[in-house]
């Protein structure tokens, strides 16, 4: 922590009073923080000064096969050349993160998962007051492996109550139904997801198919091998001893849920601000926002444009040429970038200029500016052009189907129950419900529903539905004061999702062009209704029963508890860990 002289301590005390008295006026608080603290707020923890580009950008190893074994284990990892190794979790052989799994459409595969962790590197940060947690969990870390975006039977989906404790194993079955796409896997244990992912439990899954085969001669003409680069983006706060700090602010005691904190250093594939030499040619970057909380507006430092050719669920019909992309937690983009247009020796940074969320900004957080650097080498790289289309042609998958018509309209809400005078919200909810509340959504198998997601908070929330893919229709502004005045919200625990249509005050803004394809996570903006069209598949479509009852090998509420269905939740991990997650069932 920065040393505070008496005068600034007095100012800080005054600031605290002002901040508490103005819970809704984050702009005022941010201005005060900037004015008083020059953007280096003593309310926040900070990483020690670190020089960028000291480490080479790691290429995560690739794991293939139809019978994969993957354990989670305790380890130690150095995030930067000038930092000692600190305690982490890793999957497989890695000290931090996991290998890139390559699977193939049409080839069922299994993943035998073992929880080999010993203790938890962030044990002191675990909030045992959250849903289902006990003191026991500090040392006996519950885990649950979720393949995000995968069409997975319920018992293998990494349900948050399907807990695998140290020494236990679970074999996940994946039927290979997804088409080629960039999926990712991460821990999903109840009330522990933010802790376990921050500790290192995340990795990528590239699904291949006969078009996007990953081979050099793929029929889409896409860069492959060394010219295809998965990039897991995260941000962190580091301690001087090389350990990670999941705490972001001094205003919340250690071991208490924070509500979400931003980092001040960018981490790519496990290294802080790394650098990589690239050949002069086209590269395919498979980017995932694997952060806990932050939305990032990504761009290249030289403002060069690039092509987005796919997102969560697979390829777009045609590339989208753009100079920036706003990526929320769990969203993925499949990007082509041409380093061949640059001169040898040029340096290009992958940067971010998204301001931090209001909650973090109110404490003095500033944008985390940088992820990594590319150094352009003299040699020529991948030779090939960007195609005008990636679907619908010869050697290409079919065009995306038309957006289906809705058979059912369903309004759901994203809420932050009143925080009173406190800076931190007490919890976050969907439909004003806690995770365990019984009044869940039960769409019928085989129907197309339009979900109208009303975000009544001051922050964006990326909403993720397990199992399904959907299409985003767009976002429209809502008169929230009138909506909430006419429909008073009852106590938490009573469902609150009033019809929103007569409170919509403006036209539907279509999604960004790159958001147009099959999505599994959508960023819902504050004060808007985000409309998505979801087809809920039937057991016949899937070849498995999505409503099957299954039981956990272990669990907070006793091993063997019967579970059913999937989850939908905010993918800000801090939020899903504190009630912004509900179950849903696909019923017959
Ligand atoms: Cu959220």
């Amino acid at each position: 922590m920065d040393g505070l002289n008496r005068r600034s301590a007095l100012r800080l005390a005054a600031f605290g009073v002002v901040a508490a008295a103005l819970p809704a006026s984050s702009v005022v608080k941010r201005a005060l923080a900037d004015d008083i603290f020059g953007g280096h707020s003593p309310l926040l923890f900070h990483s020690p000064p670190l020089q960028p580009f000291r480490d080479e950008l790691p290429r995560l190893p690739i794991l293939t096969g139809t019978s994969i074994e993957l354990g989670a284990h305790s380890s130690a990892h150095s995030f930067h050349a000038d930092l000692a190794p600190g305690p982490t979790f890793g999957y497989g052989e890695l000290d931090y993160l996991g290998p890139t799994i390559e699977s193939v459409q049409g080839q069922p595969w299994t993943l035998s998962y073992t929880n080999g962790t010993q203790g938890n590197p962030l044990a002191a940060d675990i909030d045992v007051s959250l849903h289902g947690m006990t003191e026991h969990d500090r040392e006996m870390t519950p885990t649950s492996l979720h393949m995000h975006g995968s069409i997975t039977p319920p018992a293998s989906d990494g349900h948050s109550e399907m807990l695998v404790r140290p020494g236990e194993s679970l074999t996940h079955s994946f039927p290979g139904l997804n088409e080629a796409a960039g999926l990712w896997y991460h821990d999903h244990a109840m009330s522990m997801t933010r802790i376990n992912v921050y500790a290192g439990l995340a990795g990528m899954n590239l699904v291949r198919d006969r078009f996007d085969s990953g081979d050099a001669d793929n029929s889409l003409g896409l860069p492959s091998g060394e010219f295809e680069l998965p990039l897991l983006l995260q941000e962190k706060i580091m301690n001087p001893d090389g350990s990670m700090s999941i705490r972001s602010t001094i205003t919340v005691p250690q071991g208490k849920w924070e509500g979400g904190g931003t980092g001040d250093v960018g981490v790519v594939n496990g290294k802080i601000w790394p650098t990589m030499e690239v050949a002069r040619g086209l590269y395919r970057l498979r980017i995932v926002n694997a952060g806990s909380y932050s939305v990032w507006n990504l761009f290249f430092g030289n403002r060069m444009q690039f092509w987005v050719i796919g997102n969560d669920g697979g390829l777009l019909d045609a590339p989208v040429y753009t100079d920036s992309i706003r990526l929320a937690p769990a969203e993925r983009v499949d990007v082509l970038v041409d380093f061949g247009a640059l001169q040898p020796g040029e340096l290009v940074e992958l940067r971010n200029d998204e301001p931090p969320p209001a909650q973090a900004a109110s404490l003095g957080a500033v944008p985390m500016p940088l992820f990594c650097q590319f150094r352009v080498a003299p040699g020529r790289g991948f030779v090939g052009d960007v195609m005008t289309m990636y679907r619908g042609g010869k050697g290409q998958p079919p065009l995306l189907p038309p957006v289906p018509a809705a058979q059912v309209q369903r309004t759901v809400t994203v809420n932050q129950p009143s925080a009173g005078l406190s800076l931190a919200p007490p919890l976050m909810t969907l439909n004003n419900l806690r995770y365990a509340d019984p009044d869940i959504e039960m769409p019928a198998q085989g129907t197309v529903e339009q979900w109208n997601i009303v975000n009544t908070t001051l922050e964006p929330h990326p909403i993720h539905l397990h199992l399904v893919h959907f299409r985003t229709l767009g976002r429209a502004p809502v008169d929230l004061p009138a909506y909430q005045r006419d429909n008073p919200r009852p106590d938490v625990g009573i469902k609150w999702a009033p019809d929103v249509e007569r409170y919509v005050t403006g036209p539907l803004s279509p999604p960004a062009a790159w958001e147009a394809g099959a999505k599994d996570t959508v960023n819902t903006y504050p004060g808007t209704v985000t409309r998505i069209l979801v087809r809920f598949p039937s057991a016949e479509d899937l070849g498995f029963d999505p409503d099957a009852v299954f039981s956990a090998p272990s669990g907070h509420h006793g091993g063997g508890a019967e579970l059913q269905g999937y989850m939908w939740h905010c993918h800000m991990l801090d939020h899903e860990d504190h009630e912004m997650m509900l179950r849903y069932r696909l019923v017959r």
Side-chain angles (χ1 to χ4, degrees):
M1 201 51 235
D2 305 293
L4 287 176
N5 61 32
R6 185 168 168 273
R7 186 167 161 176
S8 59
L10 287 172
R11 280 176 168 174
L12 173 56
F15 172 74
V17 170
V18 171
L22 294 170
S25 181
S26 60
V27 173
V28 173
K29 284 186 286 184
R30 185 166 62 230
L32 273 173
D34 285 350
D35 184 44
I36 299 173
F37 307 121
H40 201 72
S41 166
L43 299 180
L44 298 173
F45 293 105
H46 301 279
S47 300
L50 291 168
Q51 199 183 335
F53 320 133
R54 289 270 284 125
D55 296 83
E56 282 296 315
L57 197 161
R59 279 186 179 272
L60 299 172
I62 294 170
L63 202 56
T64 59
T66 54
S67 179
I68 285 176
E69 290 189 12
L70 193 73
H73 62 97
S74 300
S75 193
H77 175 75
S78 170
F79 285 91
H80 186 276
D82 295 331
L83 287 177
T88 51
F89 282 158
Y91 281 123
E93 306 288 305
L94 300 189
D95 293 330
Y96 180 79
L97 303 177
T100 300
I101 297 171
E102 289 201 17
S103 58
V104 181
Q105 186 188 29
Q107 287 184 11
W109 59 290
T110 60
L111 188 157
S112 299
Y113 171 71
T114 300
N115 180 348
T117 64
Q118 296 169 304
N120 191 297
L122 300 163
D125 298 299
I126 293 170
D127 184 342
V128 294
S129 74
L130 298 188
H131 181 98
M133 300 296 296
T134 68
E135 280 292 340
H136 186 63
D137 297 323
R138 289 193 203 277
E139 290 310 313
M140 295 293 282
T141 301
T143 63
S144 180
L145 188 150
H146 171 55
M147 194 65 63
H148 182 120
S150 171
I151 304 167
T152 308
S156 291
D157 192 52
H159 192 290
S160 282
E161 294 179 87
M162 191 74 169
L163 296 174
V164 180
R165 291 183 180 278
E168 295 178 336
S169 298
L170 179 70
T171 297
H172 297 249
S173 295
F174 299 105
L177 298 177
N178 288 73
E179 66 171 84
L183 312 184
W184 68 300
Y185 60 99
H186 61 80
D187 195 72
H188 210 310
M190 179 64 69
S191 306
M192 282 288 288
T193 297
R194 75 197 185 291
I195 299 273
N196 288 348
V197 173
Y198 202 83
L201 296 185
M204 284 205 84
N205 168 213
L206 299 182
V207 184
R208 308 297 192 183
D209 63 16
R210 65 198 167 100
F211 311 110
D212 179 8
S213 63
D215 298 329
D217 63 351
N218 70 84
S219 61
L220 296 165
L222 292 168
S224 64
E226 65 177 298
F227 306 118
E228 183 182 33
L229 186 59
L231 297 176
L232 257 123
L233 306 187
Q234 298 178 306
E235 61 179 18
K236 287 196 186 294
I237 298 172
M238 300 304 300
N239 296 317
D241 67 358
S243 63
M244 299 177 271
S245 171
I246 198 170
R247 291 184 74 190
S248 69
T249 176
I250 62 168
T251 65
V252 180
Q254 187 167 31
K256 290 293 169 200
W257 178 82
E258 272 194 10
T262 55
D264 61 4
V265 293
V267 178
V268 184
N269 294 356
K271 290 288 182 184
I272 293 169
W273 294 326
T275 178
M276 173 180 250
E277 185 175 85
V278 290
R280 295 180 66 217
L282 209 57
Y283 277 77
R284 183 181 188 189
L285 308 182
R286 314 296 298 266
I287 299 174
V288 53
N289 181 336
S292 297
Y293 182 55
S294 290
V295 177
W296 295 311
N297 189 50
L298 302 173
F299 64 97
F300 289 101
N302 62 356
R303 289 287 174 186
M304 67 178 173
Q305 293 191 275
F306 52 92
W307 297 265
V308 181
I309 62 167
N311 57 23
D312 300 352
L315 291 165
L316 298 167
D317 284 344
V320 174
Y321 197 48
T322 182
D323 66 358
S324 68
I325 198 147
R326 192 166 183 243
L327 206 64
E331 288 188 301
R332 287 89 67 204
V333 277
D334 191 349
V335 162
L336 295 179
V337 55
D338 187 8
F339 293 112
L342 305 179
Q343 295 304 309
E346 274 194 64
L347 304 172
V348 186
E349 294 155 359
L350 181 62
R351 303 192 66 92
N352 163 57
D353 64 1
E354 178 81 11
Q359 175 82 18
S362 73
L363 296 167
V366 296
M368 195 293 296
L370 178 64
F371 281 101
C372 58
Q373 180 195 61
F374 299 98
R375 312 187 304 274
V376 182
R380 280 280 165 196
F382 177 85
V383 180
D385 292 323
V386 179
M387 295 197 180
T388 53
M389 296 288 288
Y390 283 98
R391 287 179 173 275
K394 189 168 177 291
Q396 298 184 345
L399 289 172
L400 288 167
V403 177
Q407 296 161 284
V408 175
Q409 294 282 331
R410 191 182 292 271
T411 301
V412 298
T413 59
V414 179
N415 334 107
Q416 179 174 325
S418 172
L421 285 182
S422 162
L423 273 180
L427 77 170
M428 314 292 288
T429 59
L430 298 170
N431 288 348
N432 202 43
L433 298 173
R434 295 187 188 87
Y435 172 80
D437 288 325
D439 197 358
I440 62 171
E441 307 309 305
M442 292 201 283
Q445 294 181 24
T447 56
V448 176
E449 295 202 356
Q450 178 171 320
W451 281 32
N452 303 302
I453 309 169
V454 187
N455 181 345
T456 68
T457 77
L458 300 172
E459 315 257 17
H461 296 272
I463 300 297
H464 171 47
L465 277 69
H466 285 220
L467 180 71
V468 296
H469 292 94
F470 52 79
R471 304 287 286 276
T472 304
L473 284 184
R475 305 170 179 91
V478 171
D479 182 351
L480 280 187
Y483 181 63
Q484 298 183 100
R485 184 188 61 231
D486 294 353
N487 305 280
R489 190 161 61 207
D491 290 343
V492 170
I494 300 169
K495 183 174 174 177
W496 182 81
D499 188 89
V500 72
E501 298 312 323
R502 68 190 181 89
Y503 303 96
V504 173
T505 56
L508 192 72
S509 301
W514 68 270
E515 290 181 294
K519 294 281 291 172
D520 57 51
T521 306
V522 65
N523 193 0
T524 71
Y525 297 163
T528 69
V529 54
T530 301
R531 304 188 191 278
I532 61 172
L533 274 165
V534 195
R535 184 172 185 282
F536 290 95
S538 66
E540 290 69 32
D541 298 329
L542 294 165
F544 60 81
D545 181 0
D547 204 33
V549 175
F550 57 101
S551 48
S554 179
H556 288 297
H557 310 294
E562 288 201 336
L563 302 170
Q564 196 170 19
Y566 292 87
M567 284 161 299
W568 68 286
H569 60 89
C570 176
H571 220 289
M572 289 175 167
L573 304 182
D574 310 82
H575 295 178
E576 72 172 275
D577 271 353
H578 199 14
E579 308 292 354
M580 202 174 246
M581 176 165 75
L582 295 176
R583 300 163 291 155
Y584 82 91
R585 282 179 52 199
L586 290 83
V587 296
R588 285 185 180 273

